[in-house]
Amino acid sequence: MRRIAGLLAALPLLALVACSSSTPVKSGPSAAPSSSAPAVPSPVGSASPMPTVSGDFGKKAVITIPPGQPSGQFVVSTLSEGDGAGVNKGDWVTVNYTAKNWTTGKDVPSSYDAGSKPQLYQAGSGQLVPAFDQSVVGKKVGSRVLVVAPPAAGFGSTGNTALSVGGQDTVVFVLDIMEDVPQDSAVTGTMTQAPPTSPQVKDNGKAAPTITVPKDQPAPTDLQTSVLIKGDGKPVQAGQTLVVQYTGVLYSNGQQFDSSWSHGGAQALQVGTGSVIQGWDKGLVGQPVGSRVLLVIPPALGYGDKAQSSIPANSTLVFVIDILEAV
């Protein structure tokens, strides 16, 4: 198994995605969680005393810490409810956040700070601290959620030195739930076909598309990119993390060697930084979010002369990729 390490170094993220060795991912494994971590308390809706929050959804919140010590309870309280879809366990959720250390009274770095990004992760999967991981499940997109996280629901007994959070510190988070992508999501819309000399694609709804490789047609020596469905989102930028569905087949015989549909659904990976094969970096950067893209990737931009578990050396690869989200 290969994994993409967490992208926000300030938080103790684990892997964003686990894929088979034949996927386009190239980066190595990240650390596993400690089995000796303290049990996470069940969240409650309120406790005394409670912080107050001002400011609008989608902008940095102002968190005011009340007098007195925190209750020690893990609190999750909806400040304002959105009108979007509900977040289910396993969905890819995008969250903006503001944070403050209750114990010290100091601000903690926020995704609204200059140069920062929203946090993208799988809800309820154990990839993030419980204050993020558990607090969004069941909430609606567009909601602002207040979270009071004692150490067991935050950074544990070791704290987080990068954030100046000690092992006994309670941290207050305000989470703005921006987007939600279920694992079975797929791009929709009228699909056009690539030229007849290119692989043809049959849409199968919420299942892997069928890719038919042209017979008696030599494999191209250059990267071929065809936009089958053009999305209306912003163009993908190098360094962004994408949520995608994808299917890959060998150009030589049309045999499928991998598909996100066969191992958990939508996956997250970073493009434009060398974390994936060059064909993905070159073919996806600049494409609008919401697009379905066909890539025919020559060996030099794929795995070259290195065979993978189900990919012979010097193979030309064909991928159909749905770009569902970019952060």
Side-chain angles (χ1 to χ4, degrees):
M1 304 291 281
R2 297 187 178 186
R3 300 173 185 262
I4 292 180
L7 302 177
L8 182 61
L11 288 175
L13 307 191
L14 302 179
L16 280 180
V17 56
C19 305
S20 71
S21 60
S22 57
T23 68
V25 178
K26 294 168 67 178
S27 56
S30 63
S34 171
S35 60
S36 60
V40 179
S42 298
V44 298
S46 184
S48 184
M50 282 284 285
T52 57
V53 178
S54 59
D56 296 329
F57 174 89
K59 297 182 180 179
K60 189 171 183 177
V62 176
I63 302 171
T64 302
I65 302 298
Q69 297 299 311
S71 67
Q73 291 180 291
F74 178 21
V75 180
V76 178
S77 176
T78 301
L79 299 176
S80 60
E81 186 173 62
D83 57 6
V87 176
N88 295 310
K89 185 177 180 179
D91 288 0
W92 290 99
V93 62
T94 303
V95 171
N96 267 313
Y97 63 92
T98 310
K100 194 161 193 170
N101 187 324
W102 181 319
T103 306
T104 66
K106 296 181 178 180
D107 289 340
V108 174
S110 157
S111 68
Y112 289 110
D113 297 339
S116 296
K117 293 181 179 182
Q119 181 61 55
L120 170 68
Y121 61 101
Q122 263 186 306
S125 63
Q127 295 170 329
L128 299 189
V129 294
F132 278 68
D133 184 59
Q134 298 184 16
S135 299
V136 298
V137 175
K139 303 296 191 292
K140 293 182 178 180
V141 173
S143 296
R144 169 163 279 191
V145 180
L146 171 65
V147 181
V148 180
F155 300 102
S157 60
T158 59
N160 187 305
T161 56
L163 299 178
S164 299
V165 175
Q168 297 182 352
D169 293 355
T170 292
V171 181
V172 180
F173 296 97
V174 175
L175 310 181
D176 290 343
I177 304 174
M178 311 302 292
E179 299 286 347
D180 178 70
V181 179
Q183 287 180 290
D184 64 351
S185 297
V187 164
T188 59
T190 303
M191 191 171 71
T192 60
Q193 288 294 342
T197 54
S198 297
Q200 302 297 291
V201 180
K202 177 180 178 294
D203 180 76
N204 291 320
K206 291 191 174 183
T210 302
I211 304 171
T212 303
V213 177
K215 295 181 179 180
D216 303 321
Q217 186 70 31
T221 56
D222 297 319
L223 175 68
Q224 291 189 348
T225 303
S226 301
V227 178
L228 306 181
I229 299 175
K230 186 173 182 178
D232 56 6
K234 294 182 179 180
V236 171
Q237 299 178 23
Q240 285 191 308
T241 300
L242 308 185
V243 179
V244 299
Q245 295 277 19
Y246 68 89
T247 298
V249 304
L250 299 174
Y251 190 94
S252 59
N253 58 13
Q255 181 178 342
Q256 180 176 302
F257 59 82
D258 193 21
S259 176
S260 58
W261 299 101
S262 65
H263 51 78
Q267 307 283 306
L269 42 80
Q270 192 179 64
V271 295
T273 61
S275 297
V276 293
I277 57 176
Q278 291 184 62
W280 277 52
D281 278 344
K282 292 178 179 293
L284 297 184
V285 172
Q287 301 294 351
V289 174
S291 296
R292 171 169 288 179
V293 181
L294 170 69
L295 299 179
V296 183
I297 302 174
L301 299 179
Y303 295 103
D305 59 2
K306 295 180 174 61
Q308 303 296 308
S309 59
S310 53
I311 301 174
N314 298 308
S315 289
T316 296
L317 310 176
V318 182
F319 284 99
V320 173
I321 304 162
D322 286 3
I323 307 173
L324 304 170
E325 175 67 305
V327 175

